[in-house]
Amino acid sequence: QVHLVESGGGLVQAGGSLRLSCAASGRTFTNFALGWFRQAPGKSREFVATISRSGTVTAAAPSVKGRFTISRDNAKNTVYLQMNSLKPEDTAVYYCASTTAVGYYSSPTTERGYTDWGQGTQVTVSS
């Protein structure tokens, strides 16, 4: 079983930056494709960014493209989400997700593409 633990959330002013981390354990990290999703109050969970097992394929939602960057450090079994130019509408609980049921260069962009989830970390952006 995979165990995912997010950290790095907090309160930040609009225009500021945060870096979220997600530490994984339980299985070989290089076998995971990883993703970040978020859920704002009263809304459904939505895709934010994804990175393939190879680390060479990434994708981001249009709402965050150019502001958020996903990366992974296989030596630390950790995936990151660097968030810049934050906006109040980025306020949400951010979740890390993983799956091994994909090819080396695949990077799922839907919830159904992932099998394991973290508990989430709160990000609040004040205006």
Side-chain angles (χ1 to χ4, degrees):
Q1 184 176 357
V2 177
H3 188 50
L4 302 171
V5 179
E6 302 97 334
S7 61
L11 174 64
V12 64
Q13 288 188 330
S17 298
L18 282 175
R19 188 177 78 158
L20 304 184
S21 300
C22 174
S25 62
R27 289 188 181 174
T28 304
F29 187 72
T30 51
N31 287 342
F32 301 155
L34 297 144
W36 286 97
F37 289 75
R38 67 186 182 186
Q39 186 168 19
K43 295 187 176 181
S44 301
R45 190 154 56 184
E46 65 175 4
F47 164 74
V48 176
T50 178
I51 187 165
S52 64
R53 289 168 55 196
S54 68
T56 59
V57 180
T58 63
S63 59
V64 307
K65 194 170 292 185
R67 299 188 298 123
F68 291 11
T69 302
I70 188 170
S71 62
R72 64 189 294 161
D73 186 337
N74 291 339
K76 295 183 178 180
N77 289 357
T78 300
V79 61
Y80 302 99
L81 185 68
Q82 178 66 45
M83 306 187 295
N84 299 328
S85 302
L86 282 160
K87 305 175 181 180
E89 51 263 44
D90 294 319
T91 295
V93 177
Y94 283 71
Y95 298 92
C96 172
S98 71
T99 180
T100 59
V102 292
Y104 192 60
Y105 297 103
S106 296
S107 50
T109 60
T110 65
E111 287 188 66
R112 284 188 292 179
Y114 293 89
T115 55
D116 297 282
W117 295 80
Q119 297 286 346
T121 185
Q122 176 71 46
V123 171
T124 303
V125 184
S126 63
S127 57

